Amino acid sequence: MALSQGLYQKQLQKLSPQQIQLMKLLQVPTAILEERIKEEMEENPALEQQEDDHQDEYDEANDEFKDDTDDDFETEGTADEYDNIDISEYVNDGDDEIGDYKLRDENYPEIDDGRVIPHKVETGFNELMLEQLGQLSLNEHRQKIAEQIIGNLDDDGYLRREITAIVDDLAFRQNIITTEEEIGQLVLQIQQFDPPGICARNLQECLLLQLERKLDEGKHVEMAMKVLEKYFEEFTKKHYEKIQRGLGLNDEQLKAVINQIIKLNPKPAGSVGDTNKGENYVVPDFFIVNNNGKLELSLNSKNAPDLRISEGYRDMLKDYDRGSKKDKRQKEAVLFIKQKIDAAKWFIDAIKQRQNTLLNTMEAIMNYQREFFITGDETELRPMILKYIAEATNLDISTVSRVANSKFVQTEFGTYRLKFFFSESLQTDSGEEVSTREVKKILSDLIEAESKKHPLSDERLTELLQEKGYNIARRTVAKYREQLNIPVARLRKEL
């Protein structure tokens, strides 16, 4: 669904800097919009969040601009600009259009006010490793080497970097001279940390490390270790007959041994929290509610504060307009303030445009896929491509693509990325066009209902789909199965 990087760059070259900023703002998901607005407020003092208590930046006692305001800016205006400053549009009383802008949804305030921003508080994987490292009695030299090893563990908990490379890193970056043997000794110590299987060099070693912790559980664990040591490749390919013949196991023994292995964790660090991963949480950008058959759409605005132009900055312009004394310093100050207010107005308008674009796009998707949002049945999804929504909203296809790829909608059936609703079409025997999403759902249901002792081959799945009226080839079934991350029949087989 996404545009190619090359085409995206070509489109950017045709746009003005402001249009580029608008496009980038459109891509920002709700989860980080608040941070983006804070950055803008830090850069532009004329933009502020709505607050009850507000102190003006104006010194009423002297009835003129504060000296520190004059010292805090630089201008690039010409003398002509200073002599012909038009601020009439900024000083009219009751001009709410410049400033106040409320992102909160007025139609469904209960949806917004009841929303709770999720927080995550837990110990990260790296912290857990270092905490356990602190329990070892190591000298300073070995402590630094061990920290380097832990720093090289990947997100799954594996040490995939070569030992020789770690030796070089320590020598060149920290001036620490060590050997492969010394690092190997420390790796063995770290492998005793929790969770079991940590610091393994590969999957085979990871599983064996976990089984070593379970040796007191009986002979099936010992046999499982033999399977992984001698028949690891056969195990990964589910060639159970070779394992059974090689170790002289009957069916019950083989099943018990395999059950020991499949209960192990191939990604030992996966269960340990990582507070730096924003993708751990999905903050929906839209909410769709089914109100007695009528779909109601609202925009999640919890993470966006109410924005306005600074009253202090507007008051300074009003005072300048009322005053008779207009020296060069005051004119420079006014030009600076006007530029900041213009930038703040543009940002507020950009936020408005972002919200309107999001709502228009989501409304078009909601209307097009109405039956799904009513029933939650994936087979009700209609074939839909970016072009359909672009035509319905009068937006560019690239704009729809950016919205679809980075936004989520919460429904009573779950939370979905918008691109979930886009799919190509497939013809049935009767000539009817159906969504490929519908075919994938039926394919997934067939595999889920199959006998795991005799899983369905791609050929058989093709026959079953054709019996249901879907004109589909075996290679297409294989492609859809791979897109669903479902392995081939042999790897789905269970004893």
Side-chain angles (χ1 to χ4, degrees):
M1 292 301 169
L3 296 176
S4 68
Q5 188 65 21
L7 182 58
Y8 175 65
Q9 293 298 331
K10 286 182 180 179
Q11 287 188 338
L12 288 183
Q13 293 173 4
K14 300 177 182 178
L15 301 176
S16 67
Q18 285 193 334
Q19 288 175 315
I20 292 174
Q21 289 301 317
L22 281 171
M23 290 172 62
K24 290 181 177 179
L25 194 60
L26 181 63
Q27 288 179 284
V28 174
T30 299
I32 58 175
L33 180 61
E34 182 181 27
E35 192 63 33
R36 173 68 182 88
I37 291 175
K38 284 181 179 178
E39 290 175 2
E40 190 70 22
M41 289 171 61
E42 289 172 1
E43 294 176 5
N44 187 355
L47 181 69
E48 67 180 18
Q49 184 174 351
Q50 184 78 32
E51 295 177 355
D52 294 333
D53 297 322
H54 179 73
Q55 294 185 353
D56 292 341
E57 295 292 327
Y58 177 72
D59 188 346
E60 295 181 359
N62 295 325
D63 199 32
E64 60 185 26
F65 299 113
K66 293 182 179 180
D67 290 340
D68 59 349
T69 303
D70 293 57
D71 294 334
D72 285 344
F73 65 84
E74 296 179 1
T75 62
E76 298 179 357
T78 64
D80 183 62
E81 286 179 306
Y82 298 150
D83 292 336
N84 297 281
I85 301 175
D86 182 7
I87 60 171
S88 57
E89 63 175 301
Y90 303 92
V91 298
N92 294 332
D93 291 333
D95 185 9
D96 293 333
E97 187 178 348
I98 328 179
D100 299 340
Y101 170 53
K102 197 176 178 72
L103 288 174
R104 198 172 303 281
D105 193 321
E106 300 293 352
N107 295 322
Y108 305 103
E110 69 281 358
I111 293 178
D112 186 65
D113 293 339
R115 195 66 46 192
V116 178
I117 301 175
H119 292 82
K120 192 175 185 181
V121 181
E122 56 186 32
T123 302
F125 169 65
N126 194 63
E127 292 175 343
L128 179 62
M129 292 297 102
L130 293 176
E131 183 179 310
Q132 295 179 81
L133 180 62
Q135 298 173 11
L136 299 181
S137 298
L138 300 177
N139 59 33
E140 184 179 353
H141 172 78
R142 288 205 158 201
Q143 177 78 18
K144 290 183 178 179
I145 296 174
E147 289 175 358
Q148 182 75 10
I149 295 171
I150 290 174
N152 277 280
L153 299 181
D154 65 16
D155 291 342
D156 295 332
Y158 287 85
L159 180 65
R160 292 194 166 99
R161 190 163 174 75
E162 295 293 334
I163 299 296
T164 53
I166 297 177
V167 171
D168 292 339
D169 287 345
L170 286 164
F172 292 122
R173 296 183 182 180
Q174 299 190 46
N175 197 28
I176 296 175
I177 306 303
T178 185
T179 63
E180 293 182 34
E181 182 182 2
E182 185 175 31
I183 290 179
Q185 293 170 355
L186 287 168
V187 166
L188 290 176
Q189 288 184 274
I190 295 172
Q191 286 177 346
Q192 303 309 309
F193 291 179
D194 288 326
I198 217 72
C199 202
R201 270 66 66 93
N202 51 54
L203 176 61
Q204 183 181 21
E205 185 178 27
C206 175
L207 299 179
L208 284 169
L209 286 170
Q210 294 177 59
L211 287 173
E212 286 176 1
R213 305 271 190 106
K214 303 172 67 177
L215 278 173
D216 58 350
E217 294 184 14
K219 62 181 181 179
H220 289 143
V221 175
E222 294 180 15
M223 191 59 67
M225 292 186 68
K226 286 184 180 180
V227 170
L228 294 179
E229 289 169 350
K230 297 182 178 180
Y231 298 97
F232 180 71
E233 186 175 352
E234 287 80 0
F235 168 74
T236 59
K237 295 180 178 179
K238 292 198 172 184
H239 290 158
Y240 297 140
E241 297 82 0
K242 292 183 180 179
I243 298 174
Q244 201 168 1
R245 288 197 305 267
L247 295 176
L249 303 174
N250 59 38
D251 290 346
E252 287 300 316
Q253 290 172 326
L254 178 64
K255 185 173 182 179
V257 168
I258 298 303
N259 282 339
Q260 285 289 339
I261 298 175
I262 62 177
K263 287 188 293 185
L264 304 176
N265 186 358
K267 297 180 180 180
S271 59
V272 182
D274 188 342
T275 55
N276 294 322
K277 290 188 177 180
E279 61 267 25
N280 284 333
Y281 290 115
V282 171
V283 177
D285 303 87
F286 310 94
F287 304 101
I288 292 181
V289 177
N290 182 355
N291 188 359
N292 295 322
K294 180 183 178 182
L295 294 176
E296 297 174 346
L297 170 67
S298 61
L299 188 66
N300 182 359
S301 54
K302 187 68 176 180
N303 291 325
D306 303 329
L307 301 176
R308 70 174 188 181
I309 304 296
S310 166
E311 290 292 341
Y313 270 61
R314 285 202 284 183
D315 285 347
M316 284 190 278
L317 290 185
K318 290 178 181 178
D319 181 73
Y320 173 83
D321 187 58
R322 291 193 300 265
S324 57
K325 178 185 176 183
K326 294 182 175 64
D327 58 30
K328 182 179 179 181
R329 287 179 63 82
Q330 285 189 341
K331 291 177 181 178
E332 289 175 348
V334 167
L335 185 61
F336 168 78
I337 293 167
K338 180 176 177 294
Q339 291 169 347
K340 290 299 182 182
I341 290 179
D342 285 341
K345 285 178 62 180
W346 177 87
F347 185 78
I348 289 172
D349 288 341
I351 292 288
K352 286 182 180 179
Q353 184 170 334
R354 175 185 184 275
Q355 311 305 339
N356 290 334
T357 301
L358 293 182
L359 279 171
N360 289 340
T361 303
M362 187 65 242
E363 185 174 17
I365 294 173
M366 181 183 72
N367 292 335
Y368 200 92
Q369 303 290 9
R370 184 178 186 278
E371 288 305 312
F372 169 81
F373 290 110
I374 292 289
T375 64
D377 185 354
E378 289 186 27
T379 62
E380 295 289 347
L381 285 170
R382 300 169 58 193
M384 184 177 78
I385 57 177
L386 295 172
K387 180 182 177 183
Y388 298 166
I389 302 303
E391 290 175 349
T393 57
N394 291 321
L395 294 170
D396 191 88
I397 289 180
S398 63
T399 302
V400 177
S401 175
R402 289 182 187 89
V403 174
N405 279 303
S406 60
K407 305 296 183 295
F408 292 83
V409 58
Q410 180 175 307
T411 73
E412 60 185 285
F413 313 109
T415 300
Y416 302 87
R417 190 185 292 271
L418 265 58
K419 71 177 182 180
F420 168 82
F421 303 105
F422 291 84
S423 64
E424 302 290 340
S425 62
L426 185 77
Q427 267 198 340
T428 64
D429 289 340
S430 62
E432 179 188 3
E433 281 196 345
V434 296
S435 167
T436 54
R437 179 75 66 183
E438 175 182 335
V439 180
K440 288 180 183 178
K441 178 64 169 65
I442 295 173
L443 176 63
S444 178
D445 290 344
L446 287 172
I447 293 174
E448 186 176 345
E450 72 185 0
S451 167
K452 296 307 177 186
K453 290 186 177 180
H454 304 285
L456 301 171
S457 65
D458 288 347
E459 289 80 5
R460 181 57 183 152
L461 288 168
T462 303
E463 293 172 1
L464 291 172
L465 285 168
Q466 289 175 347
E467 289 174 7
K468 292 179 179 291
Y470 298 100
N471 187 16
I472 190 169
R474 190 203 64 80
R475 63 178 179 274
T476 306
V477 169
K479 181 179 76 171
Y480 289 172
R481 176 179 52 71
E482 290 171 359
Q483 290 174 351
L484 291 167
N485 293 319
I486 297 174
V488 295
R490 176 168 51 79
L491 297 181
R492 300 199 305 272
K493 185 176 181 180
E494 296 179 0
L495 296 174

